Amino acid sequence: MALHLLKLCVGPSSIEELEARIAHHRAEASRLGQAPVTAHVTRMFPKRAAAIAGQGSIYWVMKGALTCRQPIRALEPVTGSDGIDRCRLVLDPAVTPVAPHPCRPFQGWRYLEARDAPVDLDRASAGEVAEMPESLRRELVALGLI
């Protein structure tokens, strides 16, 4: 069974901003003749990496709500310029909105079991909720209506 990671999204405050950041980094890498890889580096390497790589996703928390996910293609050990070992999460560039769920702030990342992961938002599974502007979805989550 797949295992996911839950992480605060620092910087982008909406799915659109996250997608714009991903597009910018990929375009910049291509411009420099590098492979356009979407990745996120985190301090700790998950002990349960085998259940995550190629099966799980990183679920992003923005402004107090779990809002979207990106599939994790691989987990790679890397060493920073400061000599500290880190984990590079190689991500699929596609961002999938999920049913919003309130989430308190935390440091680092947390494991998210597949049974606890919110459902993807698309027309087939969520109807009109997927079509709502993200700000409206956040408001409805804050009010406890979705």
Side-chain angles (χ1 to χ4, degrees):
M1 181 180 278
L3 183 64
H4 309 290
L5 295 179
L6 185 64
K7 182 111 173 77
L8 296 180
C9 189
V10 178
S13 59
S14 69
I15 294 172
E16 291 78 18
E17 287 180 21
L18 177 61
E19 289 173 327
R21 176 188 266 185
I22 291 167
H24 172 76
H25 287 293
R26 291 177 64 83
E28 186 65 15
S30 292
R31 188 183 69 76
L32 296 172
Q34 301 169 349
V37 175
T38 301
H40 178 77
V41 177
T42 186
R43 171 67 176 91
M44 302 300 293
F45 200 96
K47 289 180 171 65
R48 300 169 66 186
I52 298 170
Q55 304 174 68
S57 292
I58 188 165
Y59 282 77
W60 294 109
V61 176
M62 297 176 188
K63 289 189 172 181
L66 198 157
T67 59
C68 61
R69 71 177 183 87
Q70 286 180 269
I72 299 173
R73 292 181 175 172
L75 289 92
E76 303 171 343
V78 295
T79 302
S81 58
D82 55 5
I84 296 175
D85 291 335
R86 293 185 166 79
C87 177
R88 181 176 184 240
L89 305 170
V90 180
L91 306 173
D92 190 296
V95 178
T96 303
V98 298
H101 182 73
C103 189
R104 292 180 163 221
F106 57 90
Q107 290 185 339
W109 48 261
R110 301 285 182 265
Y111 290 115
L112 179 65
E113 298 288 340
R115 67 178 174 270
D116 299 325
V119 297
D120 291 350
L121 287 182
D122 59 23
R123 290 180 188 204
S125 65
E128 294 178 356
V129 175
E131 300 301 318
M132 290 180 190
E134 186 176 352
S135 59
L136 179 57
R137 285 197 308 257
R138 286 182 195 278
E139 185 80 21
L140 293 173
V141 166
L143 294 171
L145 299 174
I146 60 172

